[in-house]
Amino acid sequence: MSAPLKNDTFIRALLKQPVDRTPVWIMRQAGRYLPEYKEVRAQAGDFMSLCRSAELACEVTMQPLRRFDLDAAILFSDILTIPDAMGLGLHFEAGEGPKFSNPIKSAADVKALPIPDPNDELQYVMNAVSLIRKTLDGKVPLIGFSGSPWTLASYMVEGGGTKDFGKVKGMMFSDPTSMHLMLDKTAQSVTSYLNAQIEAGAQAVMVFDTWGGVLSHEKYKEFSLQYMQQIVDGLKRTHDGQTIPVTLFTKNGGQWLGDMADTGCDGLGVDWTTDLSRAKELTKGKVALQGNLDPSVLYADDDTIKAEVKKVLTSFGDGPGHVFNLGHGIHQHINPDRVKTLVDAVHAG
Ligand code: CP3
């Protein structure tokens, strides 16, 4: 038996149970805005070596928890570990973000794509999860995560980041059968990967659909939401006698919050373009909401940050089911002292 949670406000909020203060964590809370992260990153040499070392991944996961009164830890890894394990050859070029040496170019490439075994090619992630969980010793819950099939497919076809999504949308329109096969294989991979993270000790899981918001209404449902539904249906929802909440996050997906709530997930991430009061109306009390401060507020002074935090808390209003977060990841040039102001302001209410 693992240590009982000393602070379970994050889990309780996702399950819409009452809490005595709003829990808060920050997307990309471990990262380059922290000088201690940059030190470990330099020591590791490259980003994937950092992810592959359970000790170093655990160390950087713990760093933000030492500085701030956060209510959850998130596994330090990346969403692109799955395509890497499929053989696409992930590497990070300085200042350019992620790149794949072997992107998906044809129907034959899609057919040949393997579904990785999470306890083989991705065992290093499970090792990090187990070590982080042990190190946390029940301080706060550990979040596991993955990318959504559509978001992973975008990187797999584009071979890296993109502005226009020309290649991946080109494949979606010209060869929808191959696109569906790739998304189905990816959804199967994500499901078994997240279930393995849950078995290794993740106490909640989140699916990042960073690029679902570039699709039309019709295509979002067919090419992104459908595969997140497949994942929600296939996940273990309890482990070790505890409920494992599942959160979905489509950036720029405000108009689909109602459809997303109908998947049967527990929580939805909301970016700053949708007011939380509107998100509540759209989701009709079916799910908890996570968000949604504009990350750029952290460039402002302490008084502005406190006022903007208050506005987010007020827009959610009364009742359980709010996890405070940014509407997307923290930027790398933010001063960590501003993050402390934010976290303490959320807890002050
Ligand atoms: O939140 C956390 O603290 C956990 C760690 C985490 C990372 N990436 C670490 C990381 C998480 C949850 C992610 C998710 C991720 N990765 C997403 C989805 C969330 C989102 O932001 O929308 C996406 C799209 C990726 C893909 C990815 N990985 C990109 C585009 C980059 C480059 C980012 C950049 O600004 O250069 C990465 C690399 C990466 N992943 C870094 C970190 C801390 C920076 C790498 C470095 O240290 O050089």
Side-chain angles (χ1 to χ4, degrees), residues 124-164:
Y124 68 92
V125 179
M126 307 313 146
N127 295 344
V129 171
S130 312
L131 181 62
I132 297 163
R133 179 69 192 276
K134 206 172 122 219
T135 307
L136 281 168
D137 194 30
K139 182 182 163 77
V140 289
L142 174 61
I143 306 167
F145 71 92
S146 175
S148 73
W150 168 256
T151 293
L152 294 180
S154 300
Y155 285 101
M156 289 160 71
V157 176
E158 299 287 344
T162 172
K163 285 208 165 70
D164 60 13

Side-chain angles (χ1 to χ4, degrees), residues 270 274-281 289 291-292 312 315-316 322:
V270 183
T274 303
D275 195 77
L276 289 182
S277 60
R278 174 77 184 130
K280 251 184 166 176
E281 279 166 25
L289 298 174
N292 70 344
V312 170
S315 71
F316 183 84
H322 183 208

Side-chain angles (χ1 to χ4, degrees), residues 253-280:
Q255 62 168 318
W256 301 305
L257 289 167
D259 303 287
M260 295 170 80
D262 288 335
T263 59
C265 64
D266 299 285
L268 291 178
V270 183
D271 71 32
W272 63 92
T273 62
T274 303
D275 195 77
L276 289 182
S277 60
R278 174 77 184 130
K280 251 184 166 176

